[in-house]
Amino acid sequence: MVTVLLALSISLTAGRSDGLIGLSLGLGATTFSMFALRWVIAIVCRPFTEPNEPWWRTCFIIFVFLLKVPILGGAIWIVQQMGSVAMGHFLAGLFLVYSAMVGWALTRGVPQ
């Protein structure tokens, strides 16, 4: 959380409003994308014989997973229209989210 706040303040200082918007879109769209992917992986890893799982929850998670592509594409399109400063900050936000996910995965260790 501290890293995100530091990145947002640096982005506002270095890139003004374009940089802040680019970083915010990068963080938001990539975080949404990662959570959608994680939910789908949880569905695939769960046994199919689990009777307590409502069917609408699975359908909702699949819908969110399919929605991540247009959301990420729309964010990229918006940032591309803003210029190179916003695109650089968008990519920095994308990098922060993926780095956090790698760090989270490494701290979990190998399942026994």
Side-chain angles (χ1 to χ4, degrees):
M1 188 63 169
V2 174
T3 307
V4 171
L5 293 175
L6 182 64
L8 286 170
S9 63
I10 290 172
S11 181
L12 181 62
T13 304
R16 306 281 187 247
S17 63
D18 285 351
L20 184 63
I21 292 170
L23 184 69
S24 299
L25 283 172
L27 288 171
T30 310
T31 301
F32 179 81
S33 175
M34 294 306 288
F35 276 120
L37 180 63
R38 177 144 166 69
W39 288 340
V40 168
I41 290 172
I43 287 175
V44 171
C45 293
R46 189 176 322 134
F48 290 106
T49 59
E50 191 172 314
N52 297 335
E53 184 69 30
W55 64 270
W56 58 266
R57 184 175 184 268
T58 303
C59 291
F60 175 73
I61 291 173
I62 299 288
F63 174 72
V64 168
F65 179 72
L66 294 174
L67 193 64
K68 79 175 199 156
V69 174
I71 287 177
L72 197 57
I76 290 171
W77 182 78
I78 291 170
V79 169
Q80 194 174 26
Q81 299 301 316
M82 294 176 70
S84 63
V85 171
M87 184 57 81
H89 289 264
F90 177 85
L91 292 174
L94 189 133
F95 176 74
L96 277 174
V97 172
Y98 279 107
S99 297
M101 287 300 290
V102 168
W104 173 78
L106 289 175
T107 58
R108 290 188 65 201
V110 178
Q112 300 290 327

